[in-house]
Amino acid sequence: MSDHPTDFKGSVEDAIRSAIQGSIPDAKVDVLGGGGHFTIAVVSTAFAGKGMLDSQRLVYAAIAPLMKGDRAPVHAVDSLKTRKP
C-alpha cells in the first residue's frame, strides 16, 4: 500500500460507502484499504440484468468525485466486486 497525500478529512472508507449508497440505495458495501488504495465489494439488486462491467460502472460513477484531482482521497480501486443478493 502506498502513501497517497490528500486534503480529505474524515474516514475515506465511510465516504466511499456513503457515495455508493447515495447512488445505489439498497447497496450493502464493504470497503477496506488506505493510503489511497481500496478494495470494494457491493451487493445490490440494482445489478440485476446487468453485466459485470455495467455494474462496476455504476459504482465507479458513484465514487468519481472521490477520485477527482491530484489530492483525491481515492487514488485507486485495487479490487471491485459487484454481485446481486
Side-chain angles (χ1 to χ4, degrees), residues 4-74:
H4 178 71
T6 182
D7 298 324
F8 186 84
K9 303 292 184 217
S11 168
V12 178
E13 292 90 346
D14 288 345
I16 292 169
R17 193 173 296 103
S18 293
I20 294 168
Q21 291 172 332
S23 291
I24 308 169
D26 76 330
K28 290 184 177 40
V29 184
D30 289 319
V31 182
L32 297 172
H37 290 252
F38 297 90
T39 297
I40 304 170
V42 183
V43 179
S44 174
T45 58
F47 304 141
K50 292 182 174 42
M52 181 183 68
L53 289 178
D54 286 334
S55 297
Q56 289 182 345
R57 284 183 184 122
L58 286 175
V59 175
Y60 276 115
I63 65 170
L66 296 169
M67 299 181 77
K68 190 173 185 174
D70 291 338
R71 298 182 65 82
V74 179

